[in-house]
Amino acid sequence: MARIILTKGEHAGREITLSGTELVLGRDPQCGLPLNDTQVSWHHARLFFERDLWHVQDLQSANGTLVNRVEIKTVPLNQDDVVVLGETQFVFKPDRTPAPAAAPQPAAANRPAAPHPAATAPAVAPAPAPEPPSVATPEDVKLVERMRQSTDAIRREVAKVIIGQEEVLNQILMCIIAGGHVLLIGLPGLAKTLTVSTIAKVLDMKFKRIQFTPDLMPSDITGTEVLETDPVTQQKSFRFMQGPIFCNILLADEINRTPPKTQAALLEAMQEKCVSIGKDTHKLDKPFFVLATQNPIEQEGTYPLPEAQLGRFMFIVGVEYPKREEEETIVAKTTVQAVAEPRVVLGKEAVIMLQEVVRKIPVSRHVIGYAINLVRATRPGDPEALEFVKKYVSTGAGPRAGQYLVLAAKARAVLEGRIHVSCNDIRKAALPVLRHRILTNFTADSEGLTSREMVERLLTEVKEPGEAAYTPADAAKKTTADKKKKA
C-alpha cells in the first residue's frame, strides 16, 4: 500500500500507511494527521486516491503546500515526491497495487469537524537517525573533486548577468559554503542586488529582498500571528503568517537605514537559524544566508550597526567600481533588449551537503596556528601584538575571527576542488574576516589609516610557518599536493 515517510517536523521518523482513500493534514485535532504547527492552517491539505493515483490538494491554506519546492493546488504524487507544509516534510512512496475503490469524500472545508476515517493511520516507531560522520568519506571526497567544475560553471552563469566582480562572487560563495553571512559595502549602482539574485537563481534557492527603511518593524521581517476563524467550526485560533525572512537567501538592503530594534530582528535568525514569535520558535529552511548591504555615503539619519551585530557577519566585502573595459561591456550589454538568463548549476540540497563536507575537511595544526597568530597579533594588549598594532589599534579580533578564518579557508579549498587547506587560503580570507574586527584608535584616524591597511600590514609582518612547523604527515601531504600541482 502507499505510504508517506515524514522526514521533518514533530513527526519526523514516522512512516504512515495510506490505508484509506483520504488523509487530511492540519492543526485540527480531528485531522488524520494533526500537526501542532502554527504555520499550518486548521485544515491545510489532504491526500486522496482518485483514478488509480494518489493526489495532494492544498485546502486554501495560508502558507501554501509545496511539492518538490513548487507551490501547488492539486497534483498527482509520484515516487519520492517531497511534500512540505509548514515545518512538516514527508516523502511519498506509491503502492504497487491500486487502493480499493470507495465513494469520494467531501473536502475538509465542506464538512463538519468530526473524526476522520483516516484519523487512526498507524504509526511506526521512528528509527534512530544515524550520526553523521565526523571525517570526510570517499563520497565527500568525490563531491569536493567535482566542485571545481561546478564552481567554474557558477562563475560562467553569473557572468552572463554580472560583468566583473570576480572576487566579490568568490567571497560570497565562500560564505555560503561555510554557512556564514556577508555585509556588502558599496556605492549605489554597483549591481549588489543583482549579484545576489543571480546567485540565488544559479543555486536554485528561494530569494527575498527587504528594503530597510526608518519605519520598518521587526514583524515586517519575521512575520506575525493573525487571528482566524475556521469556516466550519467557527473556532478562533492564531495562525502564523511567515515574513520574508523565511527563504534561503535574504538580501537586507541598506541595513543601516532602519532602527536598532529592527536590525536586531535578524540576530537570532543569523545565529540560530530560527525566529521566535510569542511562545513559538520557527525554524528556517536550510540553507539560510543573509547578505546585507550598506551605503558608505549619506550617513545622516542612518543607524550604524553595533559591533555585536557586525560580528555576526562572517565577511565584510567591499564592492569597488568596475574596470574600464568591464564598464564598457556592462553598458553595451545592458542597453539592448535581450537579457541572458542564467541556468541552475547546483541545487540547495547540494549546497547543504557541501556545508557539511566543509566541517569534515581536516586542517593541519600549523595552518590553525597561523590563523591564531594572525588573530592574536591584532590585540594591542597581547604580548604577541606587533608594535604598529599597539600604536594604532584600540580593540583586536576575538576567537570568532579564528573560527571564521579556518572555515573560510576550508570553503575556499572546497570551491577549488581540494581537500587540503593551506596557509594561503587563510591569507585570502584574512581581509574580509578581520577588517571589521579590528578597531583603530584616534592616532590611526588622525593619520588616515584604516582597518584594511592594518590587515594588509599584518599579513606582511606575521610570517607563515616554516618547514620546522610541519609534522612528517603534514610534510608528506604537502609534497603530494606540490607534485599534483606541478603535474
Side-chain angles (χ1 to χ4, degrees), residues 304-371:
L305 291 173
E307 302 303 328
Q309 189 163 346
L310 276 177
R312 301 290 183 184
F313 291 97
M314 183 176 184
F315 280 6
I316 283 189
V317 179
V319 183
E320 307 294 341
Y321 287 119
K323 300 175 182 177
R324 180 181 179 85
E325 57 272 16
E326 293 173 347
E327 193 164 0
E328 289 177 353
T329 306
I330 291 172
V331 173
K333 283 192 172 184
T334 57
T335 54
V336 296
Q337 186 174 4
V339 178
E341 186 69 23
R343 66 178 180 86
V344 174
V345 175
L346 287 178
K348 65 179 184 179
E349 290 81 7
V351 174
I352 294 172
M353 291 174 61
L354 288 169
Q355 288 179 339
E356 295 173 353
V357 170
V358 163
R359 297 278 178 170
K360 301 176 187 177
I361 291 181
V363 182
S364 300
R365 183 175 295 275
H366 77 277
V367 175
I368 295 179
Y370 179 58

Side-chain angles (χ1 to χ4, degrees), residues 22-95:
E22 183 180 272
L23 175 68
V24 177
L25 303 90
R27 291 211 325 274
D28 188 345
Q30 304 298 329
C31 285
L33 181 60
L35 302 173
N36 185 21
D37 181 357
T38 55
Q39 298 182 38
V40 172
S41 297
W42 199 248
H43 294 128
H44 193 103
R46 72 177 182 125
L47 301 172
F48 64 95
F49 189 81
E50 184 176 274
R51 298 176 185 174
D52 294 336
L53 289 174
W54 280 95
H55 299 68
V56 60
Q57 177 186 17
D58 182 77
L59 300 176
Q60 298 181 346
S61 64
N63 292 321
T65 302
L66 304 180
V67 175
N68 299 330
R69 302 194 299 273
V70 178
E71 190 166 350
I72 58 94
K73 295 299 182 184
T74 303
V75 296
L77 290 173
N78 300 310
Q79 173 81 21
D80 294 330
D81 278 351
V82 179
V83 182
V84 178
L85 49 156
E87 296 182 355
T88 299
Q89 174 179 299
F90 63 82
V91 179
F92 176 75
K93 301 290 184 180
D95 57 351

Side-chain angles (χ1 to χ4, degrees), residues 88-332:
T88 299
Q89 174 179 299
F90 63 82
V91 179
F92 176 75
K93 301 290 184 180
D95 57 351
R96 299 185 182 277
T97 57
Q105 300 291 326
N110 299 322
R111 67 173 187 273
H116 197 273
T120 58
V124 177
E131 288 290 332
S134 58
V135 296
T137 63
E139 291 75 17
D140 295 333
V141 175
K142 292 179 182 178
L143 178 63
V144 172
E145 290 173 348
R146 292 195 302 267
M147 191 58 200
R148 176 71 184 185
Q149 289 74 29
S150 298
T151 303
D152 292 338
I154 291 172
R155 292 192 182 105
R156 287 194 301 269
E157 294 304 316
V158 173
K160 292 179 180 179
V161 181
I162 305 298
I163 308 300
Q165 306 292 3
E166 290 88 356
E167 191 57 31
V168 173
L169 173 61
N170 289 339
Q171 293 181 4
I172 291 176
L173 290 177
M174 285 168 64
C175 263
I176 292 177
I177 299 302
H181 308 284
V182 170
L183 176 61
L184 282 180
I185 297 181
L187 297 171
L190 296 181
K192 299 186 294 294
T193 303
L194 185 59
T195 299
V196 181
S197 61
T198 303
I199 291 174
K201 291 178 182 178
V202 173
L203 299 182
D204 193 23
M205 293 189 184
K206 187 178 181 181
F207 169 72
K208 292 288 183 68
R209 174 189 176 185
I210 303 175
Q211 184 67 46
F212 280 71
T213 57
D215 59 346
L216 197 70
M217 299 296 292
S219 59
D220 296 329
I221 299 174
T222 59
T224 187
E225 290 184 331
V226 297
L227 186 65
E228 69 173 2
T229 303
D230 185 83
V232 176
T233 65
Q234 300 301 311
Q235 182 176 352
K236 298 183 185 300
S237 62
F238 282 101
R239 173 173 48 85
F240 177 62
M241 293 285 290
Q242 294 182 351
I245 202 171
F246 287 86
C247 61
N248 299 124
I249 295 184
L250 176 69
L251 175 61
D253 217 350
E254 295 189 288
I255 191 173
N256 60 328
R257 294 195 179 276
T258 199
K261 182 178 181 180
T262 305
Q263 293 173 358
L266 283 177
L267 282 176
E268 182 187 14
M270 292 171 63
Q271 184 69 20
E272 306 297 338
K273 305 298 189 295
C274 62
V275 296
S276 296
I277 305 295
K279 298 180 180 179
D280 298 317
T281 299
H282 306 276
K283 293 183 178 180
L284 301 174
D285 289 340
K286 294 181 180 181
F288 177 69
F289 173 63
V290 173
L291 195 147
T293 67
Q294 186 169 301
N295 190 342
I297 61 175
E298 298 176 358
Q299 294 301 314
E300 185 177 354
T302 62
Y303 305 85
L305 291 173
E307 302 303 328
Q309 189 163 346
L310 276 177
R312 301 290 183 184
F313 291 97
M314 183 176 184
F315 280 6
I316 283 189
V317 179
V319 183
E320 307 294 341
Y321 287 119
K323 300 175 182 177
R324 180 181 179 85
E325 57 272 16
E326 293 173 347
E327 193 164 0
E328 289 177 353
T329 306
I330 291 172
V331 173

